[in-house]
Amino acid sequence: VQLQASGGGLVQPGGSLRLSCAASEGTIVPYVMGWFRQAPGKEREFVATISRGGTVKDYADFVKGRATISRENAKNTVLLQMNSLKAEDTAVYYCAAGRGVTGQTMNSINRYDVWGRGTLVTVSS
């Protein structure tokens, strides 16, 4: 499977964005899906993850209450809705896929073996 993230852009503090991850060359059904981000000069970090069936989700503390991850397996798509954006949310956002079992989520970067190109989110006034 190949992944491509999109939906990034320039947004003012307090604004919202919806990031999309489209899969091709295969299906996301067998995969736990995740979103990660990497700010300039920093390591890539976990943002959100969703189980194969979409029933279990987990978020990094810094986005809890501000982000919602979802997936539409029939459309081979994973979404990340982000609200109340802050300047510190500025980063390149990546979606990733990793093999997992039913009900599992994964917040470790090492558990993911398929990565898409990222999409840049800039939060600035």
Side-chain angles (χ1 to χ4, degrees):
V1 67
Q2 295 185 2
L3 306 174
Q4 177 65 60
S6 62
L10 175 63
V11 61
Q12 292 187 343
S16 299
L17 276 179
R18 189 177 74 165
L19 305 183
S20 180
C21 175
S24 60
E25 306 296 327
T27 173
I28 63 171
V29 169
Y31 293 97
V32 176
M33 301 299 295
W35 284 95
F36 291 76
R37 71 183 188 185
Q38 188 166 17
K42 295 187 176 182
E43 294 186 351
R44 193 169 298 187
E45 62 181 352
F46 164 74
V47 177
T49 177
I50 187 167
S51 63
R52 298 191 316 185
T55 57
V56 184
K57 306 174 185 180
D58 191 23
Y59 300 91
D61 287 344
F62 57 76
V63 294
K64 279 183 180 176
R66 300 191 297 124
T68 302
I69 188 172
S70 61
R71 64 191 291 163
E72 299 182 54
N73 285 346
K75 296 183 178 180
N76 247 3
T77 300
V78 181
L79 303 174
L80 182 68
Q81 176 71 40
M82 297 188 65
N83 304 318
S84 302
L85 285 163
K86 308 174 183 179
E88 49 264 44
D89 293 320
T90 295
V92 177
Y93 284 72
Y94 299 88
C95 61
R99 293 282 183 172
V101 299
T102 301
Q104 183 182 15
T105 57
M106 305 185 300
N107 59 16
S108 170
I109 193 170
N110 296 321
R111 298 299 305 274
Y112 292 85
D113 41 30
V114 181
W115 291 85
R117 288 189 176 184
T119 184
L120 176 62
V121 173
T122 303
V123 184
S124 176
S125 55

